[in-house]
Amino acid sequence: MKNILITGGAGFIGSNLALKLISKGYTVTVLDNLSPQIHGENPTENSPLFLSIKDHVKLIYGTVTNIEDWKKALEGQDAIIHYAAETGTGQSMYEVQKYVDVNITGTSLMLDLLVNGSYKIKKVIVASSRSIYGEGKYISKELGAVYPKHRISKDMDQKDFEPNYPNSSALTLVATDEDSKIHPSSVYGITKQNQEQMVLTVCPTIGIAGVAFRYQNVYGPGQSLKNPYTGILSIFSTQIKNGNAITIFEDGKESRDFVFIDDVVEATILGLEKEEANNEVFNVGTGVAIDVMSVAKGLSKNYGIDVPIAISGNYRLGDIRHNFADLAKIKSFLGFEPKVSFEEGLKKFTDWVNTQEIQEDKYEQSMEEMKSKGLYK
């Protein structure tokens, strides 16, 4: 397999993957609509992500919701890495149709063409997400492994942010493995579950290998600093660089598994090149939970900019409390080991941000949208 199509290949993960594949001798085609939310205005002139791949890939400017764009993109390809998607947990809760159209319908158009057309595709890799798990995996002293339901306003209004489970005492958080319960708490998570299931259901029936990577929170140099809807490190960085206060949801102890872009690219290429990945799903993360307050403090320290960091006690409906990855399967099947610690990755990220133009802080605008829909409490 030498000819690789990356949908959404001008985005953060896609562009980094494209450049790495090219360095390994692959030929890369990118299908991307250069969304202003990610790339800003005049992306062909001003988007660092697009400019990084501009002269290295064949670019098809188009969208996965247009079947003719798909037909052009699929011609002559050996494998597809499907990244094109609307991303953002909060935004998905009030732009439901948009997320369904791009993420689910876009994927269905691809699969329909693969089933009914004459293409040479041998493997399809789809970007899934840790969001499909909803709340992570916990151990109950009384019940063993449990998977708490979505948190509800009644509890969080009382500042009770930790998940709970019926007939159980306090829960102990553990790493979430691939066999954990799938019960997404946002429309975004639902669409990612749907993408993953469609690819892994349809592709094997027509002799195409399907692979799904459940990425944790990916970060690193090149991440869009313009997008106020997703990417907590980028959002906080833009606030700090503008000298604005950071307001942290809940009590600041909510945590995520932050995985550096180079590790994500390595895992994805292993999935492309290794037959052991075929028709399997894999977590991609570090296996380490980092709380949000530590992220804010680490960024402020690295930038040497002291801005107020406030715990608001507010919350967003659809957010999870904790989730970090169990990596046993990807280590066993693909030999993947994350190489970049959070401290090292944070330094690389902030060093890069320091070389970038300061972007307008649009975060409050995005929060006003959520408030107006009753999703921010």
Side-chain angles (χ1 to χ4, degrees), residues 330-350:
I330 195 170
K331 289 178 180 179
S332 173
F333 280 56
L334 304 184
F336 170 76
E337 290 274 0
K339 296 182 175 64
V340 182
S341 70
F342 183 67
E343 292 74 18
E344 181 186 353
L346 196 68
K347 179 70 164 55
K348 291 182 177 182
F349 174 71
T350 53

Side-chain angles (χ1 to χ4, degrees), residues 217-233:
N217 287 55
V218 186
Y219 74 100
Q223 192 164 17
S224 176
L225 300 171
K226 299 181 175 72
N227 190 348
Y229 298 96
T230 186
I232 186 172
L233 275 81

Side-chain angles (χ1 to χ4, degrees), residues 273-330:
E273 296 182 338
K274 284 183 172 283
E275 290 189 6
E276 291 87 346
N278 293 0
N279 305 315
E280 297 286 350
V281 300
F282 299 99
N283 289 331
V284 180
T286 63
V288 178
I290 307 289
D291 67 75
V292 174
M293 176 58 81
S294 295
V295 172
K297 289 181 175 178
L299 288 168
S300 182
K301 178 182 176 183
N302 281 13
Y303 292 128
I305 301 174
D306 188 17
V307 298
I309 300 175
I311 301 292
S312 71
N314 297 108
Y315 59 89
R316 296 189 310 182
L317 293 173
D319 274 353
I320 65 164
R321 179 65 171 174
H322 305 292
N323 191 289
F324 71 103
D326 184 315
L327 300 180
K329 183 176 180 181
I330 195 170

Side-chain angles (χ1 to χ4, degrees), residues 161-307:
F161 297 117
E162 293 294 338
N164 52 60
Y165 203 82
N167 304 313
S168 174
S169 56
L171 303 175
T172 301
L173 176 69
V174 294
T176 303
D177 57 65
E178 290 86 350
D179 292 327
S180 296
K181 183 176 180 178
I182 303 299
H183 60 149
S185 59
S186 66
V187 172
Y188 171 68
I190 291 168
T191 66
K192 282 288 152 183
Q193 176 188 1
N194 197 290
Q195 283 186 309
E196 175 183 308
Q197 290 178 328
M198 285 196 295
V199 167
L200 294 176
T201 299
V202 173
C203 286
T205 68
I206 53 175
I208 295 174
V211 184
F213 284 115
R214 296 171 181 170
Y215 297 133
Q216 291 280 335
N217 287 55
V218 186
Y219 74 100
Q223 192 164 17
S224 176
L225 300 171
K226 299 181 175 72
N227 190 348
Y229 298 96
T230 186
I232 186 172
L233 275 81
S234 293
I235 291 169
F236 283 176
S237 292
T238 297
Q239 290 178 301
I240 292 169
K241 284 290 189 174
N242 279 277
N244 296 335
I246 294 175
T247 301
I248 295 178
F249 299 150
E250 302 183 17
D251 58 4
K253 297 178 183 178
E254 60 273 24
S255 65
R256 299 291 185 268
D257 185 337
F258 294 94
V259 57
F260 193 68
I261 182 63
D262 293 358
D263 286 330
V264 169
V265 167
E266 180 195 348
T268 307
I269 293 175
L270 288 171
L272 177 68
E273 296 182 338
K274 284 183 172 283
E275 290 189 6
E276 291 87 346
N278 293 0
N279 305 315
E280 297 286 350
V281 300
F282 299 99
N283 289 331
V284 180
T286 63
V288 178
I290 307 289
D291 67 75
V292 174
M293 176 58 81
S294 295
V295 172
K297 289 181 175 178
L299 288 168
S300 182
K301 178 182 176 183
N302 281 13
Y303 292 128
I305 301 174
D306 188 17
V307 298

Side-chain angles (χ1 to χ4, degrees), residues 60-79:
I60 297 173
Y61 178 72
T63 172
V64 292
T65 59
N66 185 309
I67 197 165
E68 295 305 320
D69 291 339
W70 267 116
K71 288 177 180 177
K72 284 188 286 186
L74 289 172
E75 201 63 45
Q77 304 300 328
D78 298 314

